[in-house]
């Protein structure tokens, strides 16, 4: 019942990741939905930290979820530099975007233009993707070396 572009449910630490997805969820209703992470849950013995990550793409569900947001569906932990493309869509299979029906319940994350997100300068100097690990090319998604 927790759906995210990369992670459904997190109670640990996540750094330097991204999702570029086209998800179509059918069947069971989704309780928590986010473009990058469904639920970032702080537990007493865990950190629940998401840092320097971004989300792009689209998510389609059959029913309006109880909790949703463009970057995170629900967050009780820490989201540091959670970016989502201003072109990321979250909609119902009938075609309506969720924001036309209800406001997001989680506002963690910051919208940026896709061209800005895909600039080498932004990925390297804002999100701190390490060039020894990631191949960075202007206008393209990072790839692991």
């Amino acid at each position: 019942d927790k759906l995210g572009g990369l992670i459904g449910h997190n109670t640990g630490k996540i750094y330097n990741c991204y999702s570029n997805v086209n998800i179509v969820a059918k069947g069971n209703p989704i309780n928590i939905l986010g473009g990058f992470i469904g639920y970032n849950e702080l537990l007493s013995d865990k950190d629940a930290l998401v840092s320097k990550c971004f989300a792009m793409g689209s998510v389609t569900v059959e029913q309006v979820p109880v909790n949703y947001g463009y970057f995170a569906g629900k967050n009780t932990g820490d989201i540091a530099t959670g970016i989502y493309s201003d072109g990321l869509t979250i909609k119902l299979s009938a075609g309506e975007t969720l924001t036309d029906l209800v406001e997001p319940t989680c506002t963690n994350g910051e919208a940026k233009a896709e061209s800005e997100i895909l600039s080498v300068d932004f990925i390297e100097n804002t999100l701190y993707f390490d060039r020894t690990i990631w191949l960075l090319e202007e206008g393209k998604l990072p790839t692991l070396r």
Side-chain angles (χ1 to χ4, degrees), residues 20-128:
N20 182 30
V21 298
N22 182 15
I23 296 173
V24 178
K26 295 183 178 183
N28 295 337
I30 304 299
N31 180 34
I32 300 172
L33 166 67
F36 181 80
I37 187 167
Y39 187 10
N40 189 45
E41 182 180 18
L42 179 64
L43 299 175
S44 61
D45 61 337
K46 305 281 184 176
D47 287 327
L49 170 66
V50 178
S51 180
K52 298 173 181 34
C53 298
F54 68 93
M56 302 168 69
S58 67
V59 182
T60 304
V61 293
E62 290 185 343
Q63 299 173 3
V64 175
V66 175
N67 297 285
Y68 91 95
Y70 282 95
F71 187 80
K74 186 173 182 178
N75 179 45
T76 57
D78 185 16
I79 295 178
T81 322
I83 306 295
Y84 60 90
S85 166
D86 60 5
L88 182 132
T89 61
I90 299 178
K91 60 186 176 181
L92 295 178
S93 52
E96 307 96 338
T97 60
L98 289 187
T99 52
D100 291 340
L101 303 172
V102 294
E103 289 298 314
T105 54
C106 185
T107 57
N108 291 98
E110 180 182 357
K112 296 269 185 200
E114 190 171 304
S115 60
E116 182 178 356
I117 294 170
L118 295 179
S119 76
V120 170
D121 180 64
F122 184 79
I123 293 171
E124 187 174 32
N125 297 315
T126 301
L127 300 178
Y128 299 105

